[in-house]
Amino acid sequence: MNEEARLVAWVRGHVQGVGFRWFTRAKALELGGITGFALNLADGRVQVVAEGSRVGCEKLLDWLERGDTPGRVDGVTEIWDAPRGIYDGFAIR
């Protein structure tokens, strides 16, 4: 079973000004079937919203937490929800 899911993740650390959003988009496109966005927040975190297969979203989350990301990730907080189906592709905001 490959259910659809919505992942919202907040990434803490040195993740702004290092290409983190671009690499996150590239990873989402590499995994395939994931839509959403990556957004710099005023407090220095990056918010990632991803919708697609639960397995694909879990792989993206694993990459955010442990992958070869630019900068330095100190931690990731995530919530899961039902997808809204409102995104076309994966954007950098």
Side-chain angles (χ1 to χ4, degrees):
M1 182 168 77
N2 198 11
E3 68 183 88
E4 296 291 302
R6 175 185 174 90
L7 165 69
V8 182
W10 294 271
V11 185
R12 300 179 310 281
H14 180 62
V15 291
Q16 291 190 11
V18 294
F20 191 88
R21 293 176 300 155
W22 188 90
F23 276 90
T24 300
R25 179 180 182 273
K27 186 64 175 182
L29 294 175
E30 174 188 318
L31 291 169
I34 296 178
T35 61
F37 64 88
L39 169 72
N40 281 343
L41 299 175
D43 64 6
R45 296 177 299 164
V46 170
Q47 180 184 27
V48 177
V49 175
E51 292 187 359
S53 73
R54 176 81 184 206
V55 171
C57 289
E58 287 172 347
K59 287 179 181 179
L60 181 62
L61 177 61
D62 185 60
W63 179 83
L64 291 171
E65 293 175 330
R66 294 180 260 303
D68 186 20
T69 62
R72 182 191 76 250
V73 174
D74 293 336
V76 179
T77 302
E78 85 271 359
I79 60 171
W80 293 90
D81 201 356
R84 298 181 186 165
I86 59 174
Y87 306 110
D88 292 323
F90 198 95
I92 296 171
R93 294 186 179 172

Tab-separated table of all heavy atoms in Angstrom, residues 50-77:
chain	number	residue	atom	x	y	z
A	50	ALA	N	5.828	18.903	1.785
A	50	ALA	CA	5.938	17.913	0.713
A	50	ALA	C	4.695	17.041	0.701
A	50	ALA	O	4.235	16.587	1.751
A	50	ALA	CB	7.179	17.048	0.917
A	51	GLU	N	4.161	16.817	-0.487
A	51	GLU	CA	3.027	15.927	-0.668
A	51	GLU	C	3.365	14.904	-1.744
A	51	GLU	O	4.018	15.229	-2.733
A	51	GLU	CB	1.782	16.702	-1.091
A	51	GLU	CG	1.241	17.600	-0.020
A	51	GLU	CD	-0.092	18.245	-0.372
A	51	GLU	OE1	-0.616	18.004	-1.481
A	51	GLU	OE2	-0.595	18.986	0.479
A	52	GLY	N	2.926	13.695	-1.505
A	52	GLY	CA	3.167	12.614	-2.452
A	52	GLY	C	2.980	11.298	-1.734
A	52	GLY	O	2.284	11.229	-0.717
A	53	SER	N	3.627	10.266	-2.225
A	53	SER	CA	3.513	8.974	-1.556
A	53	SER	C	4.133	9.073	-0.167
A	53	SER	O	5.096	9.815	0.056
A	53	SER	CB	4.217	7.882	-2.367
A	53	SER	OG	5.624	8.028	-2.273
A	54	ARG	N	3.560	8.339	0.768
A	54	ARG	CA	4.097	8.328	2.135
A	54	ARG	C	5.555	7.885	2.108
A	54	ARG	O	6.404	8.465	2.798
A	54	ARG	CB	3.248	7.389	3.009
A	54	ARG	CG	3.751	7.200	4.418
A	54	ARG	CD	3.345	8.344	5.282
A	54	ARG	NE	3.911	8.209	6.617
A	54	ARG	CZ	3.372	8.735	7.681
A	54	ARG	NH1	2.256	9.422	7.600
A	54	ARG	NH2	3.945	8.613	8.849
A	55	VAL	N	5.865	6.890	1.298
A	55	VAL	CA	7.237	6.384	1.208
A	55	VAL	C	8.176	7.479	0.692
A	55	VAL	O	9.261	7.684	1.239
A	55	VAL	CB	7.292	5.132	0.307
A	55	VAL	CG1	8.722	4.726	0.012
A	55	VAL	CG2	6.530	3.989	0.948
A	56	GLY	N	7.769	8.199	-0.341
A	56	GLY	CA	8.599	9.274	-0.884
A	56	GLY	C	8.816	10.393	0.117
A	56	GLY	O	9.936	10.907	0.262
A	57	CYS	N	7.758	10.761	0.826
A	57	CYS	CA	7.880	11.813	1.847
A	57	CYS	C	8.782	11.367	2.988
A	57	CYS	O	9.566	12.163	3.519
A	57	CYS	CB	6.506	12.210	2.361
A	57	CYS	SG	5.508	13.130	1.164
A	58	GLU	N	8.707	10.096	3.365
A	58	GLU	CA	9.584	9.573	4.407
A	58	GLU	C	11.044	9.591	3.958
A	58	GLU	O	11.940	9.894	4.751
A	58	GLU	CB	9.167	8.151	4.802
A	58	GLU	CG	7.896	8.110	5.615
A	58	GLU	CD	7.366	6.709	5.861
A	58	GLU	OE1	7.842	5.745	5.198
A	58	GLU	OE2	6.474	6.572	6.715
A	59	LYS	N	11.288	9.281	2.692
A	59	LYS	CA	12.657	9.346	2.162
A	59	LYS	C	13.178	10.774	2.169
A	59	LYS	O	14.348	11.013	2.498
A	59	LYS	CB	12.716	8.763	0.749
A	59	LYS	CG	12.585	7.261	0.714
A	59	LYS	CD	12.623	6.730	-0.699
A	59	LYS	CE	12.468	5.217	-0.705
A	59	LYS	NZ	12.489	4.671	-2.066
A	60	LEU	N	12.309	11.737	1.822
A	60	LEU	CA	12.728	13.140	1.864
A	60	LEU	C	13.022	13.548	3.299
A	60	LEU	O	14.039	14.213	3.562
A	60	LEU	CB	11.650	14.042	1.252
A	60	LEU	CG	11.989	15.534	1.223
A	60	LEU	CD1	13.230	15.802	0.369
A	60	LEU	CD2	10.805	16.342	0.704
A	61	LEU	N	12.196	13.155	4.237
A	61	LEU	CA	12.426	13.474	5.652
A	61	LEU	C	13.740	12.868	6.132
A	61	LEU	O	14.529	13.532	6.813
A	61	LEU	CB	11.260	12.977	6.505
A	61	LEU	CG	11.409	13.172	8.015
A	61	LEU	CD1	11.534	14.647	8.370
A	61	LEU	CD2	10.238	12.530	8.744
A	62	ASP	N	13.999	11.632	5.761
A	62	ASP	CA	15.252	10.991	6.145
A	62	ASP	C	16.443	11.765	5.601
A	62	ASP	O	17.439	11.968	6.301
A	62	ASP	CB	15.273	9.542	5.648
A	62	ASP	CG	16.498	8.793	6.122
A	62	ASP	OD1	16.688	8.679	7.349
A	62	ASP	OD2	17.278	8.320	5.270
A	63	TRP	N	16.339	12.229	4.356
A	63	TRP	CA	17.414	13.026	3.765
A	63	TRP	C	17.575	14.345	4.517
A	63	TRP	O	18.702	14.775	4.781
A	63	TRP	CB	17.115	13.271	2.275
A	63	TRP	CG	18.154	14.101	1.604
A	63	TRP	CD1	19.346	13.677	1.092
A	63	TRP	CD2	18.102	15.512	1.362
A	63	TRP	NE1	20.036	14.735	0.554
A	63	TRP	CE2	19.294	15.867	0.710
A	63	TRP	CE3	17.155	16.498	1.642
A	63	TRP	CZ2	19.573	17.188	0.328
A	63	TRP	CZ3	17.432	17.802	1.265
A	63	TRP	CH2	18.620	18.136	0.615
A	64	LEU	N	16.465	14.989	4.878
A	64	LEU	CA	16.550	16.242	5.638
A	64	LEU	C	17.258	16.026	6.971
A	64	LEU	O	18.038	16.877	7.420
A	64	LEU	CB	15.150	16.808	5.900
A	64	LEU	CG	14.384	17.344	4.694
A	64	LEU	CD1	12.944	17.658	5.085
A	64	LEU	CD2	15.063	18.576	4.112
A	65	GLU	N	16.998	14.899	7.611
A	65	GLU	CA	17.566	14.618	8.932
A	65	GLU	C	18.996	14.101	8.879
A	65	GLU	O	19.807	14.436	9.737
A	65	GLU	CB	16.703	13.586	9.667
A	65	GLU	CG	15.339	14.101	10.030
A	65	GLU	CD	14.447	13.033	10.641
A	65	GLU	OE1	14.594	11.827	10.305
A	65	GLU	OE2	13.597	13.421	11.446
A	66	ARG	N	19.305	13.275	7.874
A	66	ARG	CA	20.579	12.574	7.886
A	66	ARG	C	21.355	12.626	6.574
A	66	ARG	O	22.434	12.055	6.476
A	66	ARG	CB	20.353	11.100	8.228
A	66	ARG	CG	19.846	10.868	9.621
A	66	ARG	CD	19.650	9.402	9.911
A	66	ARG	NE	18.295	8.872	9.825
A	66	ARG	CZ	17.250	9.303	10.500
A	66	ARG	NH1	17.354	10.356	11.256
A	66	ARG	NH2	16.077	8.726	10.404
A	67	GLY	N	20.801	13.253	5.583
A	67	GLY	CA	21.425	13.223	4.264
A	67	GLY	C	22.570	14.189	4.124
A	67	GLY	O	22.947	14.896	5.053
A	68	ASP	N	23.109	14.195	2.943
A	68	ASP	CA	24.236	15.077	2.613
A	68	ASP	C	23.682	16.433	2.191
A	68	ASP	O	23.710	16.794	1.019
A	68	ASP	CB	25.064	14.433	1.501
A	68	ASP	CG	26.329	15.212	1.216
A	68	ASP	OD1	26.757	16.000	2.078
A	68	ASP	OD2	26.886	15.037	0.117
A	69	THR	N	23.150	17.165	3.166
A	69	THR	CA	22.556	18.471	2.901
A	69	THR	C	23.622	19.559	3.001
A	69	THR	O	24.602	19.405	3.723
A	69	THR	CB	21.442	18.789	3.916
A	69	THR	OG1	22.012	18.826	5.218
A	69	THR	CG2	20.329	17.756	3.866
A	70	PRO	N	23.414	20.662	2.302
A	70	PRO	CA	24.331	21.787	2.486
A	70	PRO	C	24.096	22.438	3.841
A	70	PRO	O	23.021	22.316	4.422
A	70	PRO	CB	23.970	22.732	1.338
A	70	PRO	CG	22.574	22.385	0.986
A	70	PRO	CD	22.390	20.935	1.304
A	71	GLY	N	25.098	23.122	4.351
A	71	GLY	CA	24.961	23.758	5.655
A	71	GLY	C	25.068	22.725	6.765
A	71	GLY	O	25.798	21.745	6.668
A	72	ARG	N	24.306	22.970	7.837
A	72	ARG	CA	24.326	22.057	8.981
A	72	ARG	C	22.914	21.942	9.543
A	72	ARG	O	22.295	22.941	9.878
A	72	ARG	CB	25.252	22.612	10.062
A	72	ARG	CG	25.386	21.726	11.291
A	72	ARG	CD	26.101	22.433	12.444
A	72	ARG	NE	25.176	23.383	13.085
A	72	ARG	CZ	25.272	24.724	13.024
A	72	ARG	NH1	26.244	25.295	12.344
A	72	ARG	NH2	24.402	25.497	13.640
A	73	VAL	N	22.411	20.742	9.647
A	73	VAL	CA	21.088	20.497	10.214
A	73	VAL	C	21.265	20.089	11.672
A	73	VAL	O	21.937	19.097	11.968
A	73	VAL	CB	20.332	19.404	9.431
A	73	VAL	CG1	19.020	19.062	10.126
A	73	VAL	CG2	20.082	19.854	8.000
A	74	ASP	N	20.660	20.875	12.570
A	74	ASP	CA	20.709	20.555	14.003
A	74	ASP	C	19.498	19.745	14.443
A	74	ASP	O	19.550	19.061	15.455
A	74	ASP	CB	20.787	21.839	14.837
A	74	ASP	CG	22.108	22.576	14.636
A	74	ASP	OD1	23.107	21.935	14.254
A	74	ASP	OD2	22.131	23.800	14.858
A	75	GLY	N	18.409	19.830	13.696
A	75	GLY	CA	17.226	19.073	14.059
A	75	GLY	C	16.085	19.356	13.108
A	75	GLY	O	16.065	20.377	12.414
A	76	VAL	N	15.140	18.442	13.075
A	76	VAL	CA	13.964	18.571	12.213
A	76	VAL	C	12.732	18.217	13.043
A	76	VAL	O	12.716	17.183	13.717
A	76	VAL	CB	14.045	17.637	10.982
A	76	VAL	CG1	12.798	17.771	10.118
A	76	VAL	CG2	15.302	17.901	10.176
A	77	THR	N	11.742	19.077	12.980
A	77	THR	CA	10.451	18.807	13.596
A	77	THR	C	9.461	18.595	12.468
A	77	THR	O	9.435	19.392	11.524
A	77	THR	CB	10.000	20.002	14.470
A	77	THR	OG1	11.001	20.243	15.461
A	77	THR	CG2	8.663	19.720	15.130
